[in-house]
Amino acid sequence: MPAYLPQVLLILEIGSVVLVLTYLYFAVKQNAVACIFGLAASVFSALFFYRQMYFGSMGLNVVYGLQAILGYYQWKWQDPDRKPAFRMPLHRHLLLILG
């Protein structure tokens, strides 16, 4: 293991936490910039988990990054007054989840 690796991992871990806290701040303020900080936090975390060889956690953070991109797109370019439409009754949805 290279001598500089522990410092890099520490920077990635601290950076990820700072970016997540920044994401939460902007999400509470309902600002679309939150998705950018969420994406950056996911990238930092994915790199951290890759270097630690935790490939499941790395993959999960890649999915979070993709969700951040989709969230930013929906937040910025879709009609903000649009309400979600649920086409399936709640009881059927619960049966599908549980079954």
Side-chain angles (χ1 to χ4, degrees):
M1 175 169 25
Y4 63 86
L5 190 57
Q7 291 86 6
V8 170
L9 293 176
L10 183 64
I11 290 169
L12 285 173
E13 192 170 12
I14 292 172
S16 177
V17 170
V18 169
L19 288 168
V20 165
L21 292 174
T22 308
Y23 160 78
L24 288 173
Y25 172 78
F26 283 114
V28 167
K29 298 287 184 184
Q30 296 183 349
N31 191 334
V33 175
C35 294
I36 295 171
F37 284 102
L39 175 62
S42 296
V43 169
F44 273 47
S45 295
L47 290 172
F48 173 77
F49 289 129
Y50 174 76
R51 292 303 301 173
Q52 296 287 46
M53 296 176 60
Y54 297 144
F55 299 116
S57 294
M58 180 201 71
L60 190 59
N61 275 280
V62 169
V63 170
Y64 291 155
L66 294 173
Q67 288 178 334
I69 293 169
L70 178 62
Y72 185 76
Y73 168 76
Q74 288 181 341
W75 209 333
K76 289 298 277 188
W77 289 292
Q78 286 195 347
D79 184 16
D81 296 326
R82 190 173 132 202
K83 301 288 183 213
F86 301 103
R87 295 186 176 105
M88 186 182 304
L90 179 61
H91 69 278
R92 184 178 299 157
H93 186 78
L94 290 174
L95 287 174
L96 286 172
I97 291 173
L98 296 174

